[in-house]
Amino acid sequence: MQYHHDRIQGIDPEGLLYIDDDGRERTIDFETCRRNWMHHSGVSESRCVAWRDIYDEPPYIEFFSEPKIRFTFPYKRTWREKWRRHPSELGERYFRATVDALNREGWTTFDLS
């Protein structure tokens, strides 16, 4: 599943609340994501719930829920940002704010970029 990041309604210690395509509130359970990451990565202990790539087109954060859920940050880049292979300034701001909110709640993401 893939959604625009503006579907995210909130992040707390237990999970992420978002709006699905039917307009219903849904929750991503971080404990489930953490267990799925540990199984996938082979680590014995982790607080990781998603992986992220700010340099992909569009940038995204994908949670290890069942099924995986990806939130994208699709903003047009200036020619300078394209030339430097940087994300758009606005997209980067929203992306970083989401990662920071996860970190404040005690969770981490794996950087693929």
Side-chain angles (χ1 to χ4, degrees), residues 51-69:
W51 51 27
R52 60 188 159 88
D53 191 341
I54 197 165
Y55 294 112
D56 201 4
E57 193 59 46
Y60 68 87
I61 299 172
E62 185 172 81
F63 291 86
F64 299 116
S65 53
E66 297 169 7
K68 288 182 182 170
I69 297 175

Tab-separated table of all heavy atoms in Angstrom, residues 51-69:
chain	number	residue	atom	x	y	z
A	51	TRP	N	11.899	1.403	6.890
A	51	TRP	CA	13.085	1.892	6.203
A	51	TRP	C	12.691	3.105	5.401
A	51	TRP	O	11.522	3.353	5.145
A	51	TRP	CB	13.784	0.838	5.384
A	51	TRP	CG	12.983	0.024	4.407
A	51	TRP	CD1	11.830	0.373	3.760
A	51	TRP	CD2	13.317	-1.281	3.964
A	51	TRP	NE1	11.420	-0.648	2.968
A	51	TRP	CE2	12.317	-1.676	3.062
A	51	TRP	CE3	14.354	-2.160	4.235
A	51	TRP	CZ2	12.333	-2.908	2.425
A	51	TRP	CZ3	14.365	-3.373	3.596
A	51	TRP	CH2	13.369	-3.742	2.712
A	52	ARG	N	13.694	3.887	5.047
A	52	ARG	CA	13.437	5.174	4.395
A	52	ARG	C	14.496	5.449	3.342
A	52	ARG	O	15.623	4.960	3.446
A	52	ARG	CB	13.418	6.293	5.423
A	52	ARG	CG	14.724	6.428	6.185
A	52	ARG	CD	14.600	7.434	7.330
A	52	ARG	NE	15.613	7.233	8.344
A	52	ARG	CZ	16.823	7.779	8.343
A	52	ARG	NH1	17.190	8.581	7.371
A	52	ARG	NH2	17.674	7.527	9.314
A	53	ASP	N	14.095	6.237	2.344
A	53	ASP	CA	15.041	6.666	1.319
A	53	ASP	C	14.643	8.048	0.829
A	53	ASP	O	13.670	8.202	0.091
A	53	ASP	CB	15.069	5.676	0.156
A	53	ASP	CG	16.218	5.927	-0.800
A	53	ASP	OD1	16.778	7.045	-0.793
A	53	ASP	OD2	16.551	5.004	-1.559
A	54	ILE	N	15.383	9.042	1.263
A	54	ILE	CA	15.074	10.418	0.894
A	54	ILE	C	15.510	10.740	-0.538
A	54	ILE	O	15.021	11.683	-1.142
A	54	ILE	CB	15.687	11.415	1.896
A	54	ILE	CG1	15.022	12.783	1.735
A	54	ILE	CG2	17.199	11.471	1.754
A	54	ILE	CD1	15.268	13.739	2.860
A	55	TYR	N	16.397	9.922	-1.117
A	55	TYR	CA	16.887	10.199	-2.465
A	55	TYR	C	16.150	9.429	-3.548
A	55	TYR	O	16.400	9.629	-4.727
A	55	TYR	CB	18.391	9.937	-2.549
A	55	TYR	CG	19.163	10.909	-1.698
A	55	TYR	CD1	19.827	10.479	-0.562
A	55	TYR	CD2	19.191	12.257	-2.010
A	55	TYR	CE1	20.515	11.377	0.240
A	55	TYR	CE2	19.866	13.155	-1.214
A	55	TYR	CZ	20.528	12.713	-0.097
A	55	TYR	OH	21.198	13.600	0.699
A	56	ASP	N	15.234	8.542	-3.160
A	56	ASP	CA	14.434	7.856	-4.164
A	56	ASP	C	13.445	8.854	-4.768
A	56	ASP	O	13.232	9.936	-4.229
A	56	ASP	CB	13.695	6.669	-3.530
A	56	ASP	CG	13.268	5.638	-4.562
A	56	ASP	OD1	13.600	5.793	-5.746
A	56	ASP	OD2	12.602	4.672	-4.172
A	57	GLU	N	12.829	8.484	-5.863
A	57	GLU	CA	11.873	9.367	-6.525
A	57	GLU	C	10.513	8.690	-6.557
A	57	GLU	O	10.312	7.796	-7.371
A	57	GLU	CB	12.360	9.691	-7.936
A	57	GLU	CG	11.627	10.809	-8.603
A	57	GLU	CD	11.701	12.132	-7.851
A	57	GLU	OE1	12.783	12.536	-7.399
A	57	GLU	OE2	10.643	12.758	-7.703
A	58	PRO	N	9.560	9.072	-5.731
A	58	PRO	CA	9.658	10.090	-4.693
A	58	PRO	C	10.251	9.514	-3.399
A	58	PRO	O	10.231	8.298	-3.194
A	58	PRO	CB	8.190	10.475	-4.457
A	58	PRO	CG	7.432	9.223	-4.707
A	58	PRO	CD	8.183	8.520	-5.819
A	59	PRO	N	10.756	10.386	-2.539
A	59	PRO	CA	11.237	9.938	-1.228
A	59	PRO	C	10.113	9.225	-0.477
A	59	PRO	O	8.927	9.516	-0.682
A	59	PRO	CB	11.614	11.240	-0.522
A	59	PRO	CG	11.880	12.203	-1.632
A	59	PRO	CD	10.924	11.833	-2.716
A	60	TYR	N	10.496	8.280	0.383
A	60	TYR	CA	9.468	7.518	1.095
A	60	TYR	C	9.969	7.008	2.438
A	60	TYR	O	11.161	6.918	2.682
A	60	TYR	CB	9.007	6.326	0.251
A	60	TYR	CG	10.060	5.263	0.077
A	60	TYR	CD1	10.211	4.237	1.015
A	60	TYR	CD2	10.934	5.286	-1.003
A	60	TYR	CE1	11.183	3.263	0.865
A	60	TYR	CE2	11.907	4.322	-1.165
A	60	TYR	CZ	12.024	3.315	-0.228
A	60	TYR	OH	13.004	2.363	-0.370
A	61	ILE	N	8.991	6.654	3.274
A	61	ILE	CA	9.203	5.889	4.497
A	61	ILE	C	8.242	4.710	4.401
A	61	ILE	O	7.038	4.909	4.202
A	61	ILE	CB	8.911	6.720	5.760
A	61	ILE	CG1	9.835	7.936	5.826
A	61	ILE	CG2	9.066	5.858	7.024
A	61	ILE	CD1	9.493	8.925	6.930
A	62	GLU	N	8.783	3.488	4.501
A	62	GLU	CA	7.958	2.286	4.374
A	62	GLU	C	8.011	1.485	5.673
A	62	GLU	O	9.083	1.084	6.110
A	62	GLU	CB	8.442	1.433	3.211
A	62	GLU	CG	7.556	0.230	2.941
A	62	GLU	CD	7.945	-0.476	1.673
A	62	GLU	OE1	8.922	-1.266	1.713
A	62	GLU	OE2	7.310	-0.215	0.640
A	63	PHE	N	6.834	1.275	6.245
A	63	PHE	CA	6.720	0.578	7.521
A	63	PHE	C	6.610	-0.921	7.307
A	63	PHE	O	6.019	-1.386	6.340
A	63	PHE	CB	5.518	1.104	8.302
A	63	PHE	CG	5.732	2.511	8.787
A	63	PHE	CD1	5.432	3.591	7.975
A	63	PHE	CD2	6.279	2.741	10.038
A	63	PHE	CE1	5.669	4.888	8.400
A	63	PHE	CE2	6.520	4.032	10.474
A	63	PHE	CZ	6.214	5.105	9.650
A	64	PHE	N	7.147	-1.690	8.257
A	64	PHE	CA	7.144	-3.144	8.194
A	64	PHE	C	5.859	-3.720	8.779
A	64	PHE	O	5.873	-4.708	9.498
A	64	PHE	CB	8.359	-3.712	8.921
A	64	PHE	CG	9.653	-3.259	8.322
A	64	PHE	CD1	10.529	-2.481	9.038
A	64	PHE	CD2	9.978	-3.593	7.020
A	64	PHE	CE1	11.715	-2.051	8.485
A	64	PHE	CE2	11.167	-3.169	6.455
A	64	PHE	CZ	12.034	-2.396	7.185
A	65	SER	N	4.761	-3.102	8.438
A	65	SER	CA	3.452	-3.592	8.855
A	65	SER	C	3.076	-4.772	7.949
A	65	SER	O	3.845	-5.157	7.074
A	65	SER	CB	2.421	-2.461	8.730
A	65	SER	OG	2.467	-1.903	7.425
A	66	GLU	N	1.909	-5.331	8.173
A	66	GLU	CA	1.423	-6.435	7.338
A	66	GLU	C	0.099	-6.027	6.717
A	66	GLU	O	-0.912	-6.010	7.420
A	66	GLU	CB	1.250	-7.693	8.191
A	66	GLU	CG	2.540	-8.197	8.771
A	66	GLU	CD	2.342	-9.280	9.820
A	66	GLU	OE1	1.189	-9.744	10.021
A	66	GLU	OE2	3.330	-9.650	10.436
A	67	PRO	N	0.045	-5.653	5.438
A	67	PRO	CA	1.159	-5.552	4.498
A	67	PRO	C	1.978	-4.286	4.762
A	67	PRO	O	1.550	-3.411	5.515
A	67	PRO	CB	0.459	-5.459	3.139
A	67	PRO	CG	-0.835	-4.771	3.442
A	67	PRO	CD	-1.239	-5.278	4.809
A	68	LYS	N	3.147	-4.202	4.103
A	68	LYS	CA	3.969	-3.007	4.251
A	68	LYS	C	3.187	-1.797	3.742
A	68	LYS	O	2.443	-1.891	2.772
A	68	LYS	CB	5.267	-3.135	3.455
A	68	LYS	CG	6.243	-4.104	4.066
A	68	LYS	CD	7.511	-4.145	3.258
A	68	LYS	CE	8.472	-5.157	3.850
A	68	LYS	NZ	9.607	-5.389	2.977
A	69	ILE	N	3.387	-0.678	4.428
A	69	ILE	CA	2.719	0.564	4.040
A	69	ILE	C	3.780	1.633	3.842
A	69	ILE	O	4.617	1.857	4.718
A	69	ILE	CB	1.684	0.997	5.088
A	69	ILE	CG1	0.584	-0.065	5.172
A	69	ILE	CG2	1.107	2.369	4.739
A	69	ILE	CD1	-0.437	0.176	6.234
